[in-house]
């Protein structure tokens, strides 16, 4: 393995370890809050933190894999998209609560989650990995990544625009 390849992998492992630690703390706090209130917000965060705990190790496995490229990349993509979608769901749910459960906000949130979920499924189907002599090479579908990215940005704009107009 060349030096130029090792440094990014070490950096990725380090960043994933930091994220794992943060998600572990978040999971503990979410479980404690859920035990106190039994409300949906801590429950959503429990799911998001569990998926976040799986995200780092799955990513490292997918970049270090030398065989079974399709399996490792699909497993990583499933966890990654479920994590991103669960966090988007959290943001949109909180926005709906802050809006005092307005129907228009709920409709917008449902549309955005369905958009995100649609692009998730399409990415699972369209993006591929192939085995090379150097290991697995991930091939991201160009259309899917645009849809995934714009779906995430749309969620961010929706909740930020709504919350910027409130006294929360």
């Amino acid at each position: 393995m060349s030096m130029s390849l090792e440094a990014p992998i070490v950096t990725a492992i380090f960043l994933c370890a930091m994220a794992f630690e943060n998600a572990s703390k978040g999971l503990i706090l979410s479980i404690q809050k859920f035990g106190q209130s039994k409300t949906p917000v801590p429950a959503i965060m429990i799911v998001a933190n569990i998926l976040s705990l799986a995200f780092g190790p799955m990513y490292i496995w997918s970049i270090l894999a030398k065989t079974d490229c399709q399996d490792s990349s699909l497993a990583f993509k499933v966890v990654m998209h479920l994590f991103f979608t669960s966090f988007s769901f959290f943001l949109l749910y909180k926005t709906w609560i802050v809006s005092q459960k307005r129907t228009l906000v709920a409709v917008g949130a449902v549309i955005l989650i369905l958009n995100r979920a649609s692009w998730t499924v399409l990415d699972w189907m369209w993006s591929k990995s192939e085995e090379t002599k150097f290991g697995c090479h991930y091939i991201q579908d160009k259309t899917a990544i645009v849809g995934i990215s714009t779906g995430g940005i749309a969620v961010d704009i929706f909740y930020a625009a709504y919350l910027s107009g409130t006294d929360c």
Side-chain angles (χ1 to χ4, degrees):
M1 195 178 286
S2 69
M3 201 56 163
S4 64
L5 187 59
E6 288 181 23
I9 291 175
V10 170
T11 303
I13 292 170
F14 178 73
L15 292 173
C16 286
M18 288 175 43
F20 191 89
E21 177 188 14
N22 195 31
S24 299
K25 290 176 186 175
L27 179 60
I28 292 167
L29 290 172
S30 297
I31 290 171
Q32 290 172 343
K33 287 187 185 224
F34 185 72
Q36 296 167 356
S37 68
K38 303 281 191 244
T39 59
V41 172
I44 296 166
M45 288 311 300
I46 289 170
V47 171
N49 280 304
I50 289 170
L51 290 166
S52 181
L53 286 171
F55 179 76
M58 296 299 282
Y59 173 69
I60 299 302
W61 175 45
S62 74
I63 64 173
L64 294 177
K66 302 288 184 206
T67 60
D68 299 324
C69 295
Q70 283 301 103
D71 294 339
S72 64
S73 71
L74 180 61
F76 165 68
K77 287 188 302 185
V78 167
V79 170
M80 175 186 71
H81 286 303
L82 290 176
F83 168 65
F84 290 153
T85 303
S86 70
F87 193 73
S88 291
F89 184 80
F90 165 73
L91 294 173
L92 294 168
Y93 181 80
K94 287 288 284 184
T95 303
W96 179 63
I97 295 297
V98 169
S99 79
Q100 299 175 353
K101 300 183 179 181
R102 287 193 169 91
T103 303
L104 189 58
V105 173
V107 169
V110 167
I111 290 169
L112 289 168
I113 283 295
L114 290 174
N115 176 60
R116 198 122 167 99
S118 298
W119 285 111
T120 292
V121 172
L122 292 173
D123 187 53
W124 290 342
M125 294 181 339
W126 294 346
S127 297
K128 304 286 182 226
S129 283
E130 62 183 27
E131 290 182 31
T132 68
K133 64 181 180 178
F134 302 108
C136 296
H137 177 68
Y138 182 67
I139 304 164
Q140 175 73 56
D141 181 79
K142 290 177 172 81
T143 304
I145 192 62
V146 170
I148 293 162
S149 300
T150 55
I153 292 168
V155 168
D156 294 341
I157 290 171
F158 182 81
Y159 83 81
Y162 185 82
L163 294 179
S164 67
T166 63
D167 294 331
C168 53

